[in-house]
Amino acid sequence: GAVVSQHPSRVICKSGTSVKIECRSLDFQATTMFWYRQFPKQSLMLMATSNEGSKATYEQGVEKDKFLINHASLTLSTLTVTSAHPEDSSFYICSAGRGGEQYFGPGTRLTVT
Amino acid sequence: DQQVKQNSPSLSVQEGRISILNCDYTNSMFDYFLWYKKYPAEGPTFLISISSIKDKNEDGRFTVFLNKSAKHLSLHIVPSQPGDSAVYFCAASAPPSGTYKYIFGTGTRLKVLA
């Protein structure tokens, strides 16, 4: 158990467009999900905590209007990168909390051209 | 301010030998520590964890040691296998428990040589 999926796994978009990434807990319910981004050879940077039924909590320095998070159900959280720019190109990873641990999705590679 | 540090970006070990990955932290409020393994273009997978009330936790080939006074933890892998080659992240969390929020280190790339 404790499987987390992400969709899409890879996406290429043009500068100025918006991209939505989905994170699903497949076999458990998660009241809390997290969104991270990882730059090459760097740590996982927590962007925000997504809470089911309430507003996401963003980490310092993360633009909430640019990275929209919606946790509409106990098994789904979405991250929308709005008006994407090339510097938003990164590896985005979500995780879901269960039993005191986090279970990570496989990640989404976003490339903004 | 990096609260969780992994000062060795990479480590090479011969197959069959012991791999020791180190992690230091600065926040004395951290009470739960974890190690994750990550392959390129994949999400991290949980390896092993330890609560601050313990100083050692063992699971098969993996053992995590915690030295609270030194604010240091280490992951021992023995014997090391080529399939262990990956990036290893340590992570820490602080109360209140159940919030799941972790602070990750910068990772150590382990290469196990056959």
Side-chain angles (χ1 to χ4, degrees), chain A residues 50-53 70-78:
Chain A
S50 172
N51 302 295
E52 189 268 337
N70 186 359
H71 196 151
S73 75
L74 288 171
T75 59
L76 173 66
S77 176
T78 60

CSV table of all heavy atoms in Angstrom, one decimal, chain A residues 50-53 70-78:
chain,number,residue,atom,x,y,z
A,50,SER,N,-0.3,21.0,1.2
A,50,SER,CA,-1.7,21.1,0.7
A,50,SER,C,-2.6,20.3,1.7
A,50,SER,O,-2.4,19.2,2.0
A,50,SER,CB,-1.7,20.3,-0.7
A,50,SER,OG,-3.0,20.2,-1.2
A,51,ASN,N,-3.6,21.0,2.2
A,51,ASN,CA,-4.5,20.5,3.1
A,51,ASN,C,-5.9,20.3,2.5
A,51,ASN,O,-6.4,21.3,2.0
A,51,ASN,CB,-4.6,21.4,4.4
A,51,ASN,CG,-3.2,21.6,5.0
A,51,ASN,OD1,-2.6,20.7,5.5
A,51,ASN,ND2,-2.8,22.8,5.0
A,52,GLU,N,-6.4,19.1,2.6
A,52,GLU,CA,-7.7,18.9,2.1
A,52,GLU,C,-8.8,19.8,2.6
A,52,GLU,O,-8.9,19.9,3.9
A,52,GLU,CB,-8.1,17.4,2.3
A,52,GLU,CG,-9.4,16.9,1.5
A,52,GLU,CD,-10.6,17.1,2.4
A,52,GLU,OE1,-10.5,17.1,3.6
A,52,GLU,OE2,-11.7,17.2,1.7
A,53,GLY,N,-9.5,20.4,1.8
A,53,GLY,CA,-10.6,21.3,2.2
A,53,GLY,C,-10.2,22.7,2.7
A,53,GLY,O,-11.1,23.4,3.1
A,70,ASN,N,-4.6,23.0,-5.2
A,70,ASN,CA,-5.9,22.7,-4.9
A,70,ASN,C,-6.0,21.3,-4.4
A,70,ASN,O,-5.6,20.3,-5.1
A,70,ASN,CB,-6.8,22.9,-6.1
A,70,ASN,CG,-8.3,22.6,-5.8
A,70,ASN,OD1,-8.7,22.4,-4.7
A,70,ASN,ND2,-9.2,22.7,-6.8
A,71,HIS,N,-6.5,21.1,-3.2
A,71,HIS,CA,-6.6,19.7,-2.6
A,71,HIS,C,-8.1,19.4,-2.4
A,71,HIS,O,-8.6,19.6,-1.4
A,71,HIS,CB,-5.9,19.7,-1.2
A,71,HIS,CG,-5.6,18.4,-0.7
A,71,HIS,ND1,-4.5,18.1,0.1
A,71,HIS,CD2,-6.2,17.2,-0.9
A,71,HIS,CE1,-4.5,16.9,0.4
A,71,HIS,NE2,-5.5,16.3,-0.1
A,72,ALA,N,-8.7,19.1,-3.6
A,72,ALA,CA,-10.1,19.0,-3.6
A,72,ALA,C,-10.7,17.8,-2.9
A,72,ALA,O,-11.9,17.8,-2.5
A,72,ALA,CB,-10.5,19.0,-5.1
A,73,SER,N,-9.9,16.7,-2.8
A,73,SER,CA,-10.4,15.5,-2.2
A,73,SER,C,-9.3,14.9,-1.4
A,73,SER,O,-8.1,15.3,-1.4
A,73,SER,CB,-10.9,14.5,-3.2
A,73,SER,OG,-9.9,13.9,-3.9
A,74,LEU,N,-9.6,13.8,-0.7
A,74,LEU,CA,-8.6,13.1,0.2
A,74,LEU,C,-7.6,12.3,-0.6
A,74,LEU,O,-6.7,11.8,-0.1
A,74,LEU,CB,-9.3,12.2,1.2
A,74,LEU,CG,-10.1,13.0,2.3
A,74,LEU,CD1,-10.9,12.0,3.1
A,74,LEU,CD2,-9.1,13.7,3.2
A,75,THR,N,-7.8,12.2,-1.9
A,75,THR,CA,-6.9,11.5,-2.8
A,75,THR,C,-6.3,12.3,-3.9
A,75,THR,O,-5.5,11.7,-4.7
A,75,THR,CB,-7.6,10.2,-3.4
A,75,THR,OG1,-8.7,10.7,-4.2
A,75,THR,CG2,-8.1,9.3,-2.3
A,76,LEU,N,-6.6,13.6,-4.0
A,76,LEU,CA,-6.1,14.3,-5.1
A,76,LEU,C,-5.7,15.7,-4.7
A,76,LEU,O,-6.5,16.5,-4.1
A,76,LEU,CB,-7.2,14.4,-6.2
A,76,LEU,CG,-6.9,15.3,-7.4
A,76,LEU,CD1,-5.7,14.8,-8.2
A,76,LEU,CD2,-8.1,15.5,-8.3
A,77,SER,N,-4.5,16.1,-5.1
A,77,SER,CA,-4.0,17.5,-5.0
A,77,SER,C,-3.5,17.9,-6.4
A,77,SER,O,-2.8,17.1,-7.1
A,77,SER,CB,-2.9,17.6,-3.9
A,77,SER,OG,-2.4,18.9,-3.9
A,78,THR,N,-3.7,19.1,-6.8
A,78,THR,CA,-3.2,19.6,-8.0
A,78,THR,C,-2.3,20.8,-7.8
A,78,THR,O,-2.6,21.7,-7.0
A,78,THR,CB,-4.3,19.9,-9.0
A,78,THR,OG1,-5.1,20.9,-8.5
A,78,THR,CG2,-5.1,18.7,-9.3
